[in-house]
Amino acid sequence: MTSSLEHTSERPEGPATAGVGDVPARRGRVRARRAAVMAVPAAVVAAGLAVLTAEGALGVQFAISGMPFTVTATELNGTGFAQFGGLDEMAEGSPNAGDTGGQVLVVTSVIKDATLTKLCQSVDLGGTNLIIRAGGGAQKVRASDLTTDSTELSGDAAFKNIEIGNDASTLGKAGPLGRGPKGVFSQQSDTVRIANLRQTNYATTAGVFKLPGLKLGFSGSGC
């Protein structure tokens, strides 16, 4: 994954560190993976910003299907941005759990108000893809309290007044939904712009989601 990043800030930035103690085997692996995300250097986390759901350590308020979907946009602009690590849960006994134990380690991102140009969303249904497109004309896709839980993020990002290394429970720039668990590494900024956005998501929510020029259909290839 490659991206370019620029930002302006009145506060210094620095790397975060975290340690992981001895814990039982399977849960130990999950906790270790989660701790590793919290310890990722700020520049690495920031480089993968995306269309961005925050609800503590689980990320979203519903059991995820476990089927990832791709989202792309030529440009995302947002005001009120927050981002921190999270852990999503599938429904008990989900056939998509595999060897994950039904858990997916994610980067949870939140934007208070967002616009997207030429939005494309696709999910692989096994041989065919369900595709949604919108915002390709004069009107852009608009969303409030837009949040996503992502495993892969890329694009060319720029921030205004970014703060890196905050405790996730103290965030405020993205509103109440943009606060995470206490003790978790996070970042926030007044604004965010991402060109050539591409992400792999497991969940997305929004308070309001307007999709002008919406088109839904099936295709042999995704976004």
Side-chain angles (χ1 to χ4, degrees), residues 131-173:
I131 296 185
I132 295 175
R133 299 182 187 275
Q139 293 183 300
K140 299 179 180 180
V141 171
R142 296 185 177 274
S144 63
D145 293 328
L146 177 64
T147 65
T148 57
D149 283 7
S150 309
T151 55
E152 294 183 14
L153 310 161
S154 65
D156 301 315
F159 311 91
K160 181 179 179 181
N161 294 327
I162 192 169
E163 300 173 1
I164 300 172
N166 311 59
D167 186 294
S169 68
T170 67
L171 300 181
K173 291 180 182 289

Side-chain angles (χ1 to χ4, degrees), residues 7-54:
H7 64 78
T8 58
S9 175
E10 298 178 355
R11 295 176 57 179
E13 48 181 274
T17 59
V20 181
D22 294 333
V23 289
R26 188 183 69 79
R27 291 189 61 81
R29 289 195 298 272
V30 172
R31 290 176 182 174
R33 290 172 59 209
R34 183 178 173 191
V37 162
M38 308 318 168
V40 170
V44 175
V45 178
L49 292 179
V51 191
L52 310 166
T53 248

Side-chain angles (χ1 to χ4, degrees), residues 49-186:
L49 292 179
V51 191
L52 310 166
T53 248
E55 161 53 26
L58 297 184
V60 289
Q61 299 180 16
F62 52 83
I64 63 171
S65 70
M67 297 178 66
F69 55 96
T70 298
V71 173
T72 65
T74 57
E75 184 176 73
L76 162 76
N77 284 282
T79 58
F81 166 77
Q83 187 179 64
F84 47 87
L87 193 65
D88 282 356
E89 300 272 358
M90 300 177 204
E92 186 175 356
S94 171
N96 299 320
D99 61 358
T100 67
Q103 297 175 318
V104 179
L105 193 65
V106 296
V107 175
T108 296
S109 306
V110 186
I111 295 181
K112 186 63 179 174
D113 294 291
T115 61
L116 299 100
T117 304
K118 294 184 178 179
L119 173 69
C120 178
Q121 177 180 299
S122 65
V123 57
D124 187 347
L125 301 178
T128 188
N129 291 266
L130 175 63
I131 296 185
I132 295 175
R133 299 182 187 275
Q139 293 183 300
K140 299 179 180 180
V141 171
R142 296 185 177 274
S144 63
D145 293 328
L146 177 64
T147 65
T148 57
D149 283 7
S150 309
T151 55
E152 294 183 14
L153 310 161
S154 65
D156 301 315
F159 311 91
K160 181 179 179 181
N161 294 327
I162 192 169
E163 300 173 1
I164 300 172
N166 311 59
D167 186 294
S169 68
T170 67
L171 300 181
K173 291 180 182 289
L177 288 178
R179 297 191 185 103
K182 185 175 293 186
V184 172
F185 178 91
S186 69

